[in-house]
Amino acid sequence: MIRLVLLFALISPAAAAQGVRDTDARLTASEIEAKLAGRVLEFFDGSKARYRADGGYAYTYTDEGPPFQGTYSARDEGEVCVVFDNGFDRCDTYVLSGDRLVLIIADGTRFPVRSVTPLSE
């Protein structure tokens, strides 16, 4: 779990701008669900978040790395909360910045989504 926390602590220059911006569009719970359910979101660092249609969640830093698994729920204002199988939990925010989906973690660090693809289960 420490690796997951460290992952979010390491920010690339592209992620240096912090927090929700005035130009960001916040999403409703149903809009978030429509964008995430049954999809894999890949970030520019190569990490992937997998959101199953049944509420299952898995995050991997690399394709070979161990998955951090749990369940997710979407809430209004773009908030997505994950309860991991090990008991750790977190809530982050997804916004639209222009046409790009961006993940914003609790400390305000922004992680633009590189690609969204269907989840093959």
Side-chain angles (χ1 to χ4, degrees), residues 41-49 59 94 103 111-114:
L41 278 61
E42 182 177 0
F43 299 92
F44 282 89
D45 64 0
S47 63
K48 295 177 182 168
Y59 175 86
Y94 278 100
L103 171 69
F111 293 91
V113 175
R114 171 187 258 171

Side-chain angles (χ1 to χ4, degrees), residues 48-52 55-59 68-72 82 84:
K48 295 177 182 168
R50 292 168 174 83
Y51 294 91
R52 293 195 333 243
Y57 174 84
Y59 175 86
F68 298 96
Q69 298 184 86
T71 57
Y72 77 94
V82 176
F84 291 92

Side-chain angles (χ1 to χ4, degrees), residues 38-112:
R39 293 184 174 77
V40 177
L41 278 61
E42 182 177 0
F43 299 92
F44 282 89
D45 64 0
S47 63
K48 295 177 182 168
R50 292 168 174 83
Y51 294 91
R52 293 195 333 243
D54 67 0
Y57 174 84
Y59 175 86
T60 54
Y61 184 68
T62 66
D63 286 335
E64 297 79 29
F68 298 96
Q69 298 184 86
T71 57
Y72 77 94
S73 60
R75 301 179 181 170
D76 282 336
E77 297 297 311
E79 189 175 64
V80 175
C81 295
V82 176
V83 176
F84 291 92
D85 292 346
N86 65 4
F88 180 77
D89 61 28
R90 64 179 299 127
C91 292
D92 300 310
T93 302
Y94 278 100
V95 298
L96 283 177
S97 178
D99 290 336
R100 183 170 303 280
L101 192 60
V102 176
L103 171 69
I104 304 171
I105 63 172
D107 72 0
T109 305
R110 297 171 64 94
F111 293 91

